[in-house]
Amino acid sequence: MRTIALVFSALALVAQSYAGELTAAEKAEGWKLLFNGKDLTGWRTFNKDTPPGAGWKVVDGVLTKPAKAPGGNMVTTESFTDYELVWEWKIAEKGNNGLKYLIDEKRSSAPGPEYQMLDDNGHPDAKVGPKRQTGSLYDIIPPAENKVLKKPGEWNESKIIVKGNHVEHWLNGGKVVSYELGSPELKEAISKSKFKAAQGFGEKVTGPIMITDHMDEVSYRNIKIRPL
């Protein structure tokens, strides 16, 4: 009976987190929800002070946007410098989406580095190479070859750590990318990417978090951040 009670207790904590509530332990560790599971409080349209596009919906505690719905890129109303960011996501077959960070809204075409989320087997961008596949620093650094990626329609958990100039990408419990902002190695990689002409790209800034809209079906839940 005790085992069953513990299982139900654990499930209740998970459900609490999905519903837009932090556990007592998460609060003690300094976590903060970026998505409350009810509405888009704390988010706005990129480069505007208006609410996110109507295509973004909250259904049963999940932030979702159907394919071709008019959502648009959206950013948090709060800015961050050093942090651990965690979120769960799933996409449809042949889907594409991204989460950008260290955002500078003055660079509208290249506002910040992107954590790529993709159907690696079905989306044509994946065929360009690993630097455009899930977990990558989009078009700059490929993810680890041993990454664990769930199938389209299944939930993945991702994490970004920014501490000083050090940045990490994680996917389903494994670190898949690590780099140093402003380093010669990163500058060389950027020079070979589509962002080579974006002044200031890859440098440390304080800015919001962005969820992009590539017009494909995507869902998010349990988006939280912990300042470091």
Side-chain angles (χ1 to χ4, degrees):
M1 293 294 292
R2 177 175 173 77
T3 300
I4 294 175
L6 289 173
V7 169
F8 276 106
S9 177
L11 289 174
L13 288 175
V14 171
Q16 180 184 35
S17 183
Y18 292 163
E21 297 181 21
L22 293 171
T23 65
E26 288 173 327
K27 291 177 180 177
E29 292 171 353
W31 287 97
K32 176 181 179 178
L33 287 173
L34 293 183
F35 169 56
N36 63 19
K38 300 174 183 177
D39 55 39
L40 286 173
T41 298
W43 293 85
R44 60 177 173 83
T45 298
F46 174 62
N47 256 333
K48 296 181 180 179
D49 290 326
T50 57
W56 291 105
K57 304 288 186 182
V58 179
V59 181
D60 296 330
V62 174
L63 172 61
T64 186
K65 195 195 74 66
K68 302 186 184 305
N73 298 332
M74 63 179 184
V75 296
T76 56
T77 56
E78 186 175 351
S79 293
F80 306 94
T81 304
D82 294 305
Y83 49 85
E84 181 177 358
L85 170 68
V86 175
W87 72 99
E88 291 181 273
W89 58 275
K90 64 178 179 179
I91 54 176
E93 288 187 8
K94 301 182 180 180
N96 178 17
N97 202 251
L99 185 144
K100 296 186 180 184
Y101 54 101
L102 301 176
I103 298 296
D104 183 347
E105 293 187 81
K106 296 177 183 178
R107 297 194 307 262
S108 58
S109 61
E114 180 175 354
Y115 183 113
Q116 174 76 315
M117 293 174 281
L118 197 74
D119 175 2
D120 283 357
N121 293 319
H123 195 281
D125 209 27
K127 297 179 181 179
V128 175
K131 289 191 291 186
R132 294 195 178 186
Q133 296 174 6
T134 297
S136 67
L137 174 58
Y138 176 69
D139 205 49
I140 300 171
I141 300 176
E145 294 182 358
N146 64 345
K147 72 179 185 184
V148 177
L149 175 62
K150 305 290 183 63
K151 296 184 296 184
E154 297 183 2
W155 288 102
N156 293 274
E157 182 180 79
S158 291
K159 177 169 66 174
I160 293 172
I161 296 174
V162 178
K163 189 172 184 180
N165 287 326
H166 183 71
V167 180
E168 296 177 2
H169 288 191
W170 290 67
L171 175 64
N172 293 321
K175 184 166 63 175
V176 294
V177 165
S178 179
Y179 67 94
E180 303 295 323
L181 292 163
S183 67
E185 293 81 6
L186 182 63
K187 290 180 179 178
E188 175 68 16
I190 291 174
S191 73
K192 299 176 182 177
S193 76
K194 63 191 296 183
F195 307 109
K196 58 185 177 183
Q199 187 174 3
F201 189 90
E203 297 178 1
K204 182 66 177 286
V205 299
T206 295
I209 307 300
M210 175 193 285
I211 291 179
T212 68
D213 179 9
H214 292 293
M215 300 304 289
D216 294 328
E217 181 182 335
V218 63
S219 296
Y220 289 89
R221 68 183 185 189
N222 202 25
I223 311 171
K224 59 188 178 183
I225 195 165
R226 180 171 68 96
L228 299 176

